[in-house]
């Protein structure tokens, strides 16, 4: 995709790296994450208007700590170093980093000495979020101190003539209220980005890129039933029209009515041809006896590919398989975007088997979920669909811990239906990023009537989030939880106990598997 204004973020292992990208994009500027050890040639090939160095858990003096192979301050491109990024600037410019400094975690009061550059329009005293062990003791050559806190006399620095800035705090997090202003000052004023990255511009450039990439080839679009693949299909149809062949596979691990909903939306609302493949036998047969979550994901991914490949054989001219892969899927599935570890595999990520004759097309590979929703609205996808909660590609298979069976699927579907129905009735659906039920491989003793029961436990999960990279548990009203629990236990045969998950991400993930 040809984007003239681009900010490159070098990842040094910070848990907030993805959030930096999100916040920069909110400023109307496209940002992309790359590993710290990218080559100088590769970095410059992107034509960045600015570079941001993320934070990270390492010490610049530590053995094996991440260091670029070149000095980023000598590229004649504006640079902003955040936390570890600030210390890295100092390390390479004869500054001094104190590894025995007073550790600082949490909120701090920042006092600003120069109200221009990144601090233009920021209050003289403002709250920031600190998360560091090492601290800057002596500023690097040619830099001046522009802000301080009670524990960090050097909390921000700049080399104004070279347009290089460094901050010890994290402007990207919610707990730095004026951080958005600081980032916008950097990318818009200092880097000179136009700020025209939005849904409309994405659609325009994507349609052009899709047409150029696929030429006169036909495309199969894999419709999972979720927002991502649906919006991707609508975008692809705008680009190539009837050369798009939408296929939805009913895997047997879908929610109640999922396949009918997606079929009706495309056939009746968009009048886009769609074929539904009945794949329940294939999926459930391969999943039989499998309880390991990674094996489930890989089995499901391969089953999807096998059925799509089989369908493509009967379609003349098909050379591409389109998927709704998102940026968080990519980041969480591979460890090449910096030193962070792989969290989980994702069946939409990682390419296709060599024997498969289809090439992958992922128009949303660099987008976050809320950006996809914005694209959907711009394309006229109904609001009720755009605002649906995310649903994982592996479906209910990763919400049933342990073996998959028709009986357990039926139990979970009914519990999940009741849960979401009660959330909607309470007017809470749009306040929640994602809500779902999980069936645990745990049975406990209960009493119904005068009889002893020994049935499954159901866990309810609801989280708030912006992009799925981090999440907090939703504080569900107690009376609502009581009603949900009562209905599930009374109406779903096989469940006699309901629990509510109050784990945040991190350290937990949103899905249980």
């Amino acid at each position: 995709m040809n984007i003239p204004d681009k900010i490159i973020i070098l990842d040094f292992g910070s848990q907030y790296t993805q959030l930096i990208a999100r916040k920069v994009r909110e400023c109307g500027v496209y940002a992309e994450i790359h590993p710290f050890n990218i080559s100088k040639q590769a970095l410059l090939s992107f034509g960045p208007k600015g570079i941001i160095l993320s934070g990270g858990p390492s010490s610049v003096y530590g053995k094996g700590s991440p260091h670029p192979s070149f000095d980023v301050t000598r590229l004649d491109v504006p640079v902003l170093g955040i936390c570890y990024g600030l210390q890295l600037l100092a390390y390479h410019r004869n500054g001094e980093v104190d590894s025995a400094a007073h550790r600082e975690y949490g909120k701090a009061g920042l006092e600003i000495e120069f109200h221009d550059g990144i601090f233009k329009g920021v209050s003289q005293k403002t709250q920031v979020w600190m998360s560091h062990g090492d601290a800057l003791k002596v500023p690097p050559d040619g830099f001046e101190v522009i802000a301080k806190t009670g524990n960090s006399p050097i909390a921000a620095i700049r080399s104004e003539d070279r347009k290089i800035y460094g901050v010890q705090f994290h402007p990207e997090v919610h707990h730095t209220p004026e951080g958005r202003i600081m980032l916008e000052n950097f990318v818009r004023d200092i880097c000179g980005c136009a700020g025209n990255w939005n849904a409309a511009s994405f659609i325009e450039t994507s349609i052009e890129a899709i047409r150029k990439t696929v030429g006169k080839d036909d495309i199969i679009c894999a419709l999972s039933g979720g927002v991502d693949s649906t919006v991707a299909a609508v975008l692809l149809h705008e680009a190539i029209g009837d050369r798009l062949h939408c296929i939805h596979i009913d895997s047997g691990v879908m929610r109640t009515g999922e396949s009918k909903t997606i079929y009706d939306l495309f056939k009746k609302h968009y009048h886009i041809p769609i074929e539904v493949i009945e794949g329940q036998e294939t999926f459930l047969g391969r999943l039989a006896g499998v309880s390991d979550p990674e094996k489930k994901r890989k089995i499901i991914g391969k089953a999807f590919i096998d059925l799509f490949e089989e369908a493509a054989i009967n379609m003349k001219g098909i050379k591409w398989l389109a998927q709704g892969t998102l940026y968080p899927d990519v980041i969480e599935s591979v460890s090449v975007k910096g030193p962070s570890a792989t969290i989980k595999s994702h069946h939409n990520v990682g390419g296709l088997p060599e024997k498969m004759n289809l090439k992958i097309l992922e128009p949303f590979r660099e987008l976050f979920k809320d950006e996809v929703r914005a694209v959907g609205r711009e394309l006229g996808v109904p609001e009720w669909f755009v605002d649906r909660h995310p649903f994982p590609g592996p479906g209910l298979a990763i919400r049933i811990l342990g073996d998959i069976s028709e009986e357990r699927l039926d139990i979970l579907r009914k519990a999940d239906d009741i849960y979401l129905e009660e959330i909607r009735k309470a007017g809470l659906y749009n306040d929640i990023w994602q809500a779902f039920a999980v069936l645990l491989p745990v049975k406990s003793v209960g009493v119904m009537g005068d009889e002893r029961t020994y049935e499954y436990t159901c866990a309810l999960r609801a989280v708030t989030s912006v992009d799925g990279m981090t999440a907090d548990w939703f504080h569900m009203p107690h009376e609502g939880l009581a009603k949900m629990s009562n209905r599930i236990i009374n109406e779903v045969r096989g469940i006699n106990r309901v629990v509510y998950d109050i784990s945040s991400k991190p350290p937990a993930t949103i899905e249980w598997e």
Side-chain angles (χ1 to χ4, degrees):
M1 189 182 306
N2 183 24
I3 302 170
D5 290 349
K6 184 180 294 185
I7 298 294
I8 296 298
I9 301 166
L10 297 188
D11 180 16
F12 293 90
S14 171
Q15 62 179 313
Y16 302 129
T17 301
Q18 294 80 30
L19 191 54
I20 299 172
R22 280 284 298 105
K23 292 299 182 181
V24 170
R25 292 187 187 188
E26 285 179 9
C27 298
V29 178
Y30 181 77
E32 199 169 270
I33 300 169
H34 289 278
F36 73 90
N37 55 0
I38 187 174
S39 69
K40 179 179 177 180
Q41 182 180 8
L43 176 62
L44 293 177
S45 71
F46 294 114
K49 297 291 288 287
I51 298 169
I52 296 178
L53 312 178
S54 84
S58 303
S59 167
V60 289
Y61 298 119
K63 184 178 181 180
S65 60
H67 286 262
S69 60
F70 55 93
D71 187 349
V72 296
T73 67
R74 299 184 184 276
L75 299 179
D76 198 26
V77 176
V79 177
L80 171 63
I82 296 175
C83 199
Y84 178 88
L86 161 75
Q87 297 161 19
L88 197 69
L89 293 176
Y91 179 86
H92 288 284
R93 284 283 182 171
N94 298 318
E96 186 176 339
V97 178
D98 184 5
S99 58
H102 178 76
R103 294 177 181 271
E104 197 172 14
Y105 297 96
K107 297 176 183 177
L110 186 74
E111 294 185 33
I112 296 171
E113 299 186 20
F114 294 92
H115 287 273
D116 54 5
I118 60 171
F119 292 139
K120 185 180 73 173
V122 178
S123 306
Q124 196 273 326
K125 291 185 178 181
T126 187
Q127 176 185 298
V128 297
W129 183 261
M130 291 287 192
S131 181
H132 66 94
D134 295 0
L136 200 56
K137 187 175 182 180
V138 177
D141 294 344
F143 284 75
E144 61 182 336
V145 179
I146 58 175
K148 63 182 180 180
T149 69
N151 290 321
S152 296
I154 306 176
I157 60 173
R158 73 177 177 188
S159 175
E160 193 171 14
D161 58 333
R162 285 176 291 176
K163 298 183 178 181
I164 301 174
Y165 292 78
V167 295
Q168 184 61 74
F169 55 89
H170 289 273
E172 70 273 20
V173 302
H174 174 73
H175 298 296
T176 303
E178 296 185 278
R180 161 73 181 268
I181 300 174
M182 303 173 197
L183 289 172
E184 189 161 5
N185 285 337
F186 177 71
V187 299
R188 298 285 293 274
D189 295 348
I190 296 168
C191 298
C193 296
N196 53 9
W197 167 257
N198 53 42
S201 66
F202 172 82
I203 291 169
E204 182 181 350
T205 55
S206 292
I207 288 175
E208 180 183 345
I210 290 166
R211 289 171 177 167
K212 183 178 180 180
T213 299
V214 305
K216 296 182 179 180
D217 296 338
D218 283 24
I219 301 174
I220 286 181
C221 182
L223 288 176
S224 68
V227 174
D228 309 326
S229 62
T230 298
V231 176
V234 176
L235 175 67
L236 289 165
H237 192 258
E238 288 280 326
I240 67 168
D242 292 341
R243 287 188 287 122
L244 174 68
H245 305 273
C246 293
I247 294 180
H248 171 71
I249 295 178
D250 187 344
S251 61
V253 291
M254 311 291 288
R255 291 174 295 193
T256 304
E258 197 79 31
S259 294
K260 185 179 185 304
T261 297
I262 192 69
Y263 180 83
D264 289 346
L265 180 66
F266 275 78
K267 195 74 172 179
K268 298 177 181 178
H269 182 79
Y270 283 112
H271 306 291
I272 297 175
I274 176 174
E275 178 184 352
V276 177
I277 297 175
E278 302 294 336
Q280 298 95 323
E281 185 176 337
T282 299
F283 282 83
L284 296 184
R286 296 186 186 185
L287 287 168
V290 178
S291 58
D292 180 80
E294 281 298 285
K295 288 182 179 178
K296 287 180 188 177
R297 288 178 177 272
K298 290 173 181 176
I299 287 170
I300 290 170
K302 188 174 188 309
F304 270 117
I305 289 171
D306 289 346
L307 290 176
F308 276 118
E309 184 179 23
E310 185 179 329
I313 292 173
N314 300 319
M315 295 182 180
K316 187 178 180 181
I318 299 291
K319 293 185 179 180
W320 296 87
L321 169 61
Q323 298 183 144
T325 307
L326 301 189
Y327 207 16
D329 298 332
V330 176
I331 294 167
E332 289 194 344
S333 300
V334 293
S335 57
V336 297
K337 296 272 188 179
S340 54
T342 299
I343 296 172
K344 64 185 178 184
S345 65
H346 191 283
H347 76 266
N348 278 354
V349 182
L352 297 169
E354 291 182 6
K355 70 184 183 69
M356 191 169 182
N357 295 320
L358 300 181
K359 293 176 282 186
I360 280 287
L361 185 66
E362 296 170 319
F364 296 157
R365 189 177 176 87
E366 304 298 336
L367 292 192
F368 292 95
K369 173 70 80 172
D370 61 321
E371 292 176 316
V372 173
R373 288 195 169 112
V375 170
R377 292 187 183 96
E378 189 73 22
L379 290 169
V381 177
E383 197 73 22
W384 64 266
F385 195 93
V386 169
D387 286 334
R388 294 180 88 199
H389 291 176
F391 186 65
L396 300 181
I398 58 168
R399 292 178 179 175
I400 296 177
L401 276 60
D403 294 349
I404 310 297
S405 68
E406 287 280 12
E407 178 196 12
R408 291 181 178 179
L409 284 164
D410 186 53
I411 290 172
L412 181 56
R413 285 192 186 101
K414 290 175 181 176
D416 195 62
D417 287 348
I418 292 170
Y419 182 39
L420 294 179
E421 180 183 328
E422 289 299 325
I423 286 175
R424 288 190 174 96
K425 281 182 179 178
L428 299 173
Y429 189 83
N430 290 334
D431 296 331
I432 298 170
W433 163 267
Q434 192 171 11
F436 55 90
V438 179
L439 190 65
L440 306 184
V442 176
K443 286 188 175 183
S444 63
V445 174
V447 178
M448 292 187 181
D450 293 325
E451 295 183 359
R452 175 186 183 275
T453 62
Y454 190 60
E455 296 180 334
Y456 290 111
T457 299
C458 173
L460 304 180
R461 178 77 156 141
V463 298
T464 57
S465 182
V466 173
D467 50 38
M469 298 305 301
T470 60
D472 193 13
W473 63 278
F474 181 73
H475 293 239
M476 193 77 70
H478 290 183
E479 61 274 15
L481 281 173
K483 188 174 182 181
M484 295 164 188
S485 174
N486 186 59
R487 280 197 62 193
I488 290 171
I489 291 172
N490 285 337
E491 298 176 31
V492 183
R493 187 176 294 276
I495 293 175
N496 68 355
R497 193 177 297 270
V498 173
V499 298
Y500 189 63
D501 183 352
I502 59 169
S503 308
S504 296
K505 175 187 180 181
T509 55
I510 296 177
E511 296 286 348
W512 276 48
E513 289 191 340

